[in-house]
Amino acid sequence: MDALDQSPRRGRQVLDALVYAIVVTGVAFVIGAVVSFPLGGGLLGIKYFLFLVGFVLFGYGAFQLRPSRAWKVDKSGDEIEIERNEKTGDVVGSREETRFQSSVQRLPPLSRYSIPPDERFSPDAKLFLASIAILLTSFLMEAVFGVGV
C-alpha cells in the first residue's frame, strides 16, 4: 500500500524537475541570444553558449550530488582519530525555496500540482537534470536543425 501512496507524489516530483529543467534551458537560451546576436554569432553562438553553460552546469551539478562524508578524520600529532559524523549540520526537512524556484512554481502545470519544498527533488538534482536538458538542446540545434553544419 505504501508504494501506491508514493506514486502520485513521485509523479509530481518528476513534473517539478522537468518544468524546472525546461525553464532553466529557456533562460539559458534567452541569455545566449542576448549575448550572441549583438556579437554577430546568431544561432551558432547560442548553440556554443548552450554547450558551454550545459557543460559547466553538468560538472557543478555532478559535484554537488556527491554524498557527504560519513566520518571525520582528525590527524593531531601522531594519533589519527576517526569520528562518525552523526550530524551534517542540516536540519531534516529544512529545504528553502529560492526566488527562482518560487517563480517556476507559479507556472501553469506546477501551480495546480505543487508540492512542498521538502518533498521535491533536491535543487542540485534538478540543476543536474537542467544541465542535461541544456546539452540536449545544444545537440538538437546541431543534429536536427543543422545549426552550424
Side-chain angles (χ1 to χ4, degrees):
M1 183 80 175
D2 193 30
L4 294 175
D5 292 339
Q6 296 294 335
S7 61
R9 191 183 103 202
R10 181 64 67 182
R12 283 186 238 136
Q13 286 175 329
V14 170
L15 179 66
D16 176 62
L18 286 175
V19 170
Y20 186 86
I22 291 168
V23 170
V24 170
T25 302
V27 168
F29 189 89
V30 168
I31 291 172
V34 167
V35 170
S36 178
F37 281 114
L39 296 176
L43 289 176
L44 183 64
I46 295 173
K47 179 186 77 165
Y48 287 133
F49 180 81
L50 288 177
F51 178 77
L52 179 66
V53 168
F55 190 75
V56 168
L57 287 179
F58 186 85
Y60 179 73
F63 183 76
Q64 289 297 103
L65 286 175
R66 295 173 304 131
S68 61
R69 289 186 177 186
W71 60 86
K72 176 183 165 189
V73 178
D74 185 21
K75 298 177 185 178
S76 57
D78 295 333
E79 297 179 7
I80 297 177
E81 185 178 335
I82 300 175
E83 296 177 18
R84 185 150 184 81
N85 188 5
E86 299 295 328
K87 296 180 185 177
T88 60
D90 292 337
V91 178
V92 176
S94 67
R95 189 173 293 157
E96 294 180 14
E97 186 174 57
T98 63
R99 287 191 304 171
F100 181 76
Q101 180 64 48
S102 65
S103 300
V104 171
Q105 289 300 314
R106 288 191 292 266
L107 293 176
L110 295 182
S111 60
R112 281 187 62 189
Y113 303 109
S114 180
I115 55 176
D118 297 337
E119 294 182 13
R120 298 178 194 146
F121 289 133
S122 72
D124 302 324
K126 292 192 287 189
L127 190 64
F128 185 76
L129 180 66
S131 72
I132 293 172
I134 291 171
L135 287 171
L136 182 64
T137 303
S138 174
F139 173 74
L140 290 175
M141 285 179 75
E142 182 168 353
V144 176
F145 301 112
V147 174
V149 176

